[in-house]
Amino acid sequence: MRYASIDAGTNTFRLLVAEVSSGELKPVLIRRVITRLGGGYTEERGIDPAAAERALKALEGFASDIAANGVIDVCATATSVVRRAVNSAEFLAEVEKRSGI
């Protein structure tokens, strides 16, 4: 069985697809994309639209990788920029809409 983990950091997004075999994780795919999601962030405006678009494109690519590798479950975590942004809900809705993540 294959699982995926996504770490959506302030500057870089990371994807790990791993297979579980005999209680061990065996990496199948490791991918990094520099998104600079925190670039242009302000407390008043939240996530900058250009940064959001870079992040969304990265996640669309990750979604393709996940589908191509037969992943059965995905766990994703996001940087504090996403958690505290005034436009967090809109960003996360767009993530789900465009990537299914």
Side-chain angles (χ1 to χ4, degrees), residues 6-88:
I6 297 171
D7 172 19
T10 302
N11 291 305
T12 306
F13 283 19
R14 293 170 176 83
L15 168 67
L16 168 66
V17 174
E19 191 163 306
V20 178
S21 178
S22 302
E24 291 185 33
L25 283 177
K26 296 182 181 177
V28 174
L29 174 68
I30 297 172
R31 189 164 169 218
R32 278 181 19 153
V33 178
I34 297 170
T35 63
R36 295 184 356 261
L37 181 61
Y41 174 87
T42 67
E43 293 293 328
E44 298 78 29
R45 293 182 304 135
I47 299 168
D48 181 75
E53 186 59 31
R54 290 190 299 271
L56 290 163
K57 286 185 186 226
L59 291 169
E60 287 172 330
F62 286 2
S64 293
D65 291 336
I66 288 165
N69 281 281
V71 170
I72 63 167
D73 196 17
V74 178
C75 178
T77 60
T79 178
S80 65
V81 167
V82 173
R83 294 190 305 269
R84 70 177 193 258
V86 296
N87 56 349
S88 177

